[in-house]
mmCIF file of all heavy atoms in Angstrom:
data_model
loop_
_atom_site.group_PDB
_atom_site.id
_atom_site.type_symbol
_atom_site.label_atom_id
_atom_site.label_comp_id
_atom_site.label_asym_id
_atom_site.label_seq_id
_atom_site.Cartn_x
_atom_site.Cartn_y
_atom_site.Cartn_z
ATOM 1 N N GLU A 72 -4.003 0.226 26.639
ATOM 2 C CA GLU A 72 -5.284 0.770 26.215
ATOM 3 C C GLU A 72 -5.122 1.821 25.120
ATOM 4 O O GLU A 72 -6.063 2.099 24.379
ATOM 5 C CB GLU A 72 -6.012 1.380 27.413
ATOM 6 C CG GLU A 72 -6.359 0.360 28.497
ATOM 7 C CD GLU A 72 -7.001 1.005 29.707
ATOM 8 O OE1 GLU A 72 -6.979 2.254 29.797
ATOM 9 O OE2 GLU A 72 -7.526 0.268 30.556
ATOM 10 N N ALA A 88 -5.237 1.727 1.281
ATOM 11 C CA ALA A 88 -4.606 2.289 0.080
ATOM 12 C C ALA A 88 -3.176 1.789 -0.008
ATOM 13 O O ALA A 88 -2.225 2.563 0.158
ATOM 14 C CB ALA A 88 -4.658 3.813 0.110
ATOM 15 N N LEU A 274 -6.074 9.072 25.372
ATOM 16 C CA LEU A 274 -6.803 8.760 24.149
ATOM 17 C C LEU A 274 -7.435 10.006 23.546
ATOM 18 O O LEU A 274 -7.472 10.169 22.329
ATOM 19 C CB LEU A 274 -7.880 7.721 24.443
ATOM 20 C CG LEU A 274 -7.387 6.319 24.788
ATOM 21 C CD1 LEU A 274 -8.540 5.465 25.283
ATOM 22 C CD2 LEU A 274 -6.723 5.665 23.594
#
Side-chain angles (χ1 to χ4, degrees):
E72 297 176 349
L274 291 170

